[in-house]
Amino acid sequence: MRWTQTLIPTLKETPAEAEITSHKLLLRAGLVRKLAGGLYTFLPLGLRALRKVERIVREEMNRAGALELLMPAMQPPEIWERSGRYVTASEVFFKVRDRARKEWILGPTHEEVITTLVAGEINSYRQLPKNFYQIQTKFRDEIRPRFGLMRAKEFIMKDAYSFDATDELAQVSYQKMYDAYARIFQRCGLKAIAVEADTGVIGGKFSHEFMVPAETGENEVAYCESGQYAANIEKAASKGSLIPTPNLSTGGNPEEFATPGVVTIEALGAAPYGVAAHQQIKTLVYVVDSKIVLILMRGDDQLNEVKFMAKAGATQVRPAGVEECFGALGAKPGSLGAVKSTMTGDKIQIFADESLRGAKGMTTGANKDGFHLRHVEIDRDIEVTQWFDLRTVKAGELCVATGQPLKIGRAIEVGHIFKLGTKYSEKLNAMFLDESGKQQPAVMGCYGIGVTRTLQAIIEQSNDKDGIIWPLSVAPYAVCLTPLSIVAGSPVMALAEKIYAELEAQGVDVILDDRDERPGVKFKDSELIGFPIRVGIGEKSLAKGEVELKLRGGVLTPVKVEEAVAKVLELVKGTA
RNA sequence: CGGAGCGUAGCUCAGCCUGGUAGAGCACUUGGUUUGGGACCAAGACGUCGCAGGUUCAAAUCCUGUCGCUCCGACCA
């Protein structure tokens, strides 16, 4: 490609809309342009990089035995009603109506469609296993699109769905995808780690997320440096708080004491009360699937809502409002408690965090504004309905696998794999006859990669002050030819044309910067965009019979003119 | 959905407080001089000051509403 024939609108200044490095560079390097919030046009250069990521994904999915197909982006709501997700996933839907006013859903994902397909086409265990995938635009009405391609209303996803005859075989399919994902991200030049994850609204048994460590990531990951444990903070467990829970009796029965104006853990921990946070029981009032429940945490712990939803099997969870708290317990937040003797109204379910087991000498709210209770012993004074691990892990706590301290870091989720089980196959009737002639639901897995997000994650992870540093595998062009003069017929331009033609003939992705610009402009642009290899051709070096080879981020190396093409080919083919 | 900030030329922004001819730099066009790390000179083209209403002799500027964009939050009582 000749630079003057394409459109590469680089920007010297950063557009005001971009906050994080990768978003700024996407715009500055002329890869994408925004149409509206969360909606982006891929310009020629950006599309080339995107296609390269897609190609890697496609090659690895094919290698893993998955079959590419393409499903409609527009879906009938009926199949979502059958799966039960019409309600649970409704918040992410973009809906449209046709001329008959019938409603359609722009697909946020395709479990319902693929399962409907399989229900019709697969009838025998002999046809299994099957794994279908597609690379397609998804639509999600995100609460807040942000950071360019990171979280957009419309984005490109690779989604795959496996169908197996048994749970054991489904595990094999899952492992194949796990391995394929590791290869995909590695080939994209990304350092991605697999972490244990919650399954969320998709449902299913267990899952892994592929995370790219980055300060700007939207997720938190707890991990052990041994590499033996890593989990999304929403899922992560540890050996518990480093501060043990008090378990020695401090006195007799719960005793009320006045705490005027004290409504926070911190205030009760300060003088004149001096009740340390870990000696307090925090009483959270939640509305869980329309029912009021209490959740008890140690004062210094944070409730992990995702864990709670998973363990309690809840689908909709929100903290209760002040009025709801008052209605249930007769006091406002800050003085709430779960001690039997202070609870007067209807019976409320009480869920308690494991860390409170056997706790004695605790302090909690008295269900009377401005009062707390001390000498609370949980087993004696509180009727706990069920115990769960509900706390959010903190950095420094010990790893359940190795006993080493856990670290917590931020990361970008680029892929997610789920073992689904038979939830969808049962609801959408994807049944097959097994060897004994018995009807069985197919055991499913589903596997997603945010292709556009992966592209941006690569930039987020690989850049410097001058711009993007593309890995060779996904660079829009591998080689940028930079003649410092473009006068037709001049020795410099003649050589540039010759090298250009030879590299093109060899199938190398090469761009010839034939713009009538000063050298500084060409250098700056090539570094901003981040072409892995630059071949500079100027009069000074040509006088010595040389051209200048520069790897992005590396040093300038003179190369003999006659060796230039061979040297570039070595670099491109990775044999250098 | 709540909070905060911002909407002025293609981009980055000034002007707004204190109402009175719409600005700068970059980018763009033409000519010239330059030519190894984002050149210089000259001339030019480019705007319903987000939109709507109001106040006023007069609104980019003040008021109201609205739309859009960005960030934070939407759980810790």
Side-chain angles (χ1 to χ4, degrees), chain A residues 223 238 240-242 393-399 403-408:
Chain A
Y223 61 96
S238 72
S241 173
L242 295 174
V393 163
K394 293 178 203 158
E397 291 176 6
L398 304 183
C399 174
Q404 294 175 33
L406 290 172
K407 301 213 162 184
I408 294 181

Side-chain angles (χ1 to χ4, degrees), chain A residues 5 15 55 148 177 309 493 517 536 560 564:
Chain A
Q5 304 299 304
R55 198 175 92 190
M177 286 295 104
M309 288 176 78
M493 196 57 189
E517 289 287 356
K560 289 286 170 207

